[in-house]
């Protein structure tokens, strides 16, 4: 009788582990593959950001930036949230006050960094062009943060949680940095793919540590977008930057609004409540 119960318990644990592998690792990775394929087809092969195309930018924003970049991850995150695998803190959706504070401090620190270092890599751009470039790259950054850290990072950490904090964090950083590097290398593919991938991987590790430390979606988006402005401005078709393109600005605003609506919906319906211990 005892051996039978032990076998049943072992089988139950193995089944639970396999189920967690499917829901917390394999399913998010399938979403990642779909998103990477979209990036390749909509921007990589067409060289969307190296050769300006307003219709192409709109299509990319809707499909890769909003649909697969925000909506699909949120559907998967909702299921994980309801199952108890992740919570509001882990996915980086915080209170309005906490979000404003994190964004303000991050923006202030970033501005101070650019002032002190002399805005490396963007000396040839004026303020209007820098702002336009920021808005152009904002949808990419939002989708990247949602896919890499809000979706994959939190799910991978949930799967490896039983292995300890160090293992879950390191695993989350490495996996998400690889996805980050691969996605951006696909978007801005060129003959220097290896160098580009290596640079993005290092940047992805920094962004991953920042997200896991701060746990704020918007602050991480500011860090990623600012980094992309510095590293990628030379690879962007100047036609996007001047004169000011209403489509570029509108795309950035629309994706941001969609993210805010999603955040509001989660905060209203799925807020994590901490119960006092008995």
């Amino acid at each position: 009788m005892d051996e039978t119960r032990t076998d049943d318990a072992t089988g139950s644990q193995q089944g639970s582990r396999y189920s967690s592998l499917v829901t917390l690792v394999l399913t998010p990775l399938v979403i990642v593959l779909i998103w990477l394929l979209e990036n390749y087809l909509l921007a990589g092969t067409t060289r969307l950001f190296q050769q300006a195309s307003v219709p192409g930018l709109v299509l990319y924003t809707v499909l890769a930036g909003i649909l697969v970049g925000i909506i699909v991850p949120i559907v998967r995150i909702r299921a994980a949230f309801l199952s108890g695998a992740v919570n509001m803190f882990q996915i980086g959706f915080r209170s309005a006050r906490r979000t404003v504070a994190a964004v303000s401090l991050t923006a202030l620190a970033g501005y101070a960094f650019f002032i002190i270092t002399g805005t490396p890599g963007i000396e040839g751009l004026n303020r209007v062009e820098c702002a336009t470039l920021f808005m152009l790259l904002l949808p990419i950054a939002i989708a990247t943060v949602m896919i890499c850290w809000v979706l994959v990072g939190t799910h991978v950490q949930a799967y490896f949680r039983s292995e300890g904090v160090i293992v879950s964090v390191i695993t989350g950083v490495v996996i998400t940095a690889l996805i980050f590097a691969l996605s951006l290398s696909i978007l801005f593919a060129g003959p220097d793919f290896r160098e580009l991938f290596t640079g993005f991987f290092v940047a992805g590790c920094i962004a991953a540590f920042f997200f896991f430390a701060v746990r704020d979606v918007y602050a991480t988006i500011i860090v990623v977008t600012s980094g992309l402005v510095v590293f990628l401005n030379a690879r962007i078709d100047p036609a996007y930057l001047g004169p000011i393109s209403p489509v570029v600005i509108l795309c950035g605003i629309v994706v941001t609004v969609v993210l805010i609506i999603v955040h509001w919906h989660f905060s209203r319906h799925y807020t994590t409540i901490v119960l006092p211990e008995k």
Side-chain angles (χ1 to χ4, degrees):
M1 179 69 70
D2 292 339
E3 291 181 359
T4 301
R5 290 180 178 177
T6 301
D7 291 341
D8 290 343
T10 302
S12 177
Q13 291 177 354
Q14 291 177 346
S16 176
R17 190 64 173 174
Y18 175 77
S19 177
S20 296
L21 177 65
V22 172
T23 58
L24 297 178
V25 179
L26 297 183
T27 300
L29 289 181
V30 169
I31 296 174
V32 168
L33 290 176
I34 295 173
W35 180 63
L36 291 176
L37 180 61
E38 270 194 327
N39 284 343
Y40 176 73
L41 295 177
L42 297 177
T45 58
T46 62
R47 297 181 60 81
L48 176 62
F49 296 99
Q50 292 90 344
Q51 300 174 2
S53 170
V54 171
L57 181 63
V58 172
L59 184 63
Y60 172 82
T61 301
V62 173
L63 295 182
I66 297 176
L67 181 59
V68 181
I70 298 178
I71 304 302
V72 173
I74 282 299
V75 172
R76 176 59 250 168
I77 291 168
R78 178 182 178 275
F81 185 86
L82 294 176
S83 70
V86 300
N87 57 42
M88 292 289 284
F89 166 77
Q90 290 166 342
I91 64 178
F93 283 169
R94 314 298 294 275
S95 66
R97 180 179 300 178
R98 174 64 171 71
T99 297
V100 170
V103 168
S104 300
L105 290 174
T106 301
L108 183 61
Y111 182 75
F113 172 80
F114 285 135
I115 293 298
I116 294 172
T117 60
T119 59
I122 55 175
E123 296 89 346
L125 302 178
N126 58 44
R127 292 184 178 181
V128 174
E129 290 173 333
C130 284
T132 305
L133 180 58
F134 187 94
M135 294 301 290
L136 174 67
L137 297 174
L138 183 59
I140 298 175
I142 291 176
T144 301
V145 171
M146 290 296 295
I147 290 285
C148 291
W149 295 292
V150 178
L151 175 65
V152 177
T154 56
H155 282 60
V156 167
Q157 281 196 330
Y159 181 75
F160 287 98
R161 191 171 295 153
S162 60
E163 305 296 331
V165 175
I166 295 178
V167 173
S168 66
V169 169
I170 292 178
T171 305
V173 167
V174 173
I175 292 178
T176 55
L178 285 172
I179 296 172
F180 178 83
L182 183 58
S183 65
L184 291 174
S185 297
I186 288 174
L187 285 176
F188 300 92
D192 56 344
F193 180 87
R194 291 184 179 180
E195 296 179 4
L196 199 63
F197 182 89
T198 301
F200 282 136
F201 178 75
V202 174
C205 288
I206 296 173
F209 277 116
F210 181 87
F211 175 80
F212 293 137
V214 178
R215 293 289 182 175
D216 188 273
V217 170
Y218 302 93
T220 308
I221 288 171
I222 290 177
V223 169
V224 172
T225 309
S226 300
L228 295 182
V229 167
V230 173
F231 294 131
L232 296 175
N233 68 88
R235 296 176 180 268
I236 302 297
D237 188 338
Y240 279 124
L241 307 181
I244 296 178
S245 171
V247 175
V248 170
I249 305 301
L250 183 61
C251 286
I253 292 175
V254 169
V255 177
T256 303
V257 169
V258 171
L259 178 62
I260 292 173
I261 292 174
V262 166
H263 184 180
W264 172 82
H265 176 76
F266 261 70
S267 299
R268 184 177 177 84
H269 297 284
Y270 303 107
T271 300
T272 302
I273 300 176
V274 179
L275 298 177
E277 296 182 1
K278 295 182 180 180

